[in-house]
Amino acid sequence: MIRTVVFDIGETLVRDDRYWASWADWLGVPRHTLSALVGAVTAMGLDNAEAVRLLRPGIDLGEERRAREASGHGEFLDETDLYPDVRQGLQGLRDMGIRVCIAGNQTTKAGNLVRDLSLPADEVATSEEWGVAKPDPAFFRRVVELSGAAPEETVYVGDHPANDIIPAKAAGLLTCMIRRGPWGNLWANDASVLNSVDWLIESILDLPSLLPRSSEWS
């Protein structure tokens, strides 16, 4: 019985190309340099923000984000940032009678930018709005509240084992890992990750066919 599917945002629904490119431009470093460092800290099991700290030791990321916003170089999302399967995939789930929610580690502004895209989703929430971020168990308690269904009737879809799959599973949720972006591709074949996921998909379009239809619940 799957009543709700909740999606991560970055590298699950939205490509992070623009995000990291804009940070590289702001810091005055080659885009490839920052991208490579993001990959390196990811492989080390560190938060990807550590890539910025390697380039600017002691940087106050909150202050730097505010400076970027004030200068007009802050966060931005539009249709081109979405992976091409997102609209059709989310709509396919809703057509099955499944509630679709979006919840990730993003700012309040990013949440509003996602809402402005008018995706076929029932709710959108971010860590900054909730005041708690993944992988904190409290984040996934909020996910369950957002879902409106029991944990065992809720699927969390994400690309990052440490932030998405493992803590979601620990919270009693069903889990689905999507193989895309640096994290999804890096860990998709890792045995410890595969033991934690209920489904591994290449595209959101794969998901509707894997889940029971609402008519099968009654």
Side-chain angles (χ1 to χ4, degrees), residues 42-92:
T42 295
M44 293 167 65
L46 302 174
D47 187 280
N48 52 31
E50 292 304 315
V52 176
R53 295 190 178 99
L54 285 171
L55 291 167
R56 297 290 183 272
I59 190 172
D60 183 325
L61 288 174
E63 182 178 321
E64 208 69 21
R65 288 190 186 100
R66 288 188 290 274
R68 289 185 59 194
E69 291 292 341
S71 71
H73 294 87
E75 290 180 281
F76 181 79
L77 285 175
D78 65 16
E79 194 72 19
T80 64
D81 295 296
L82 293 174
Y83 277 100
D85 59 353
V86 169
R87 287 192 181 276
Q88 185 180 349
L90 270 56
Q91 187 61 56

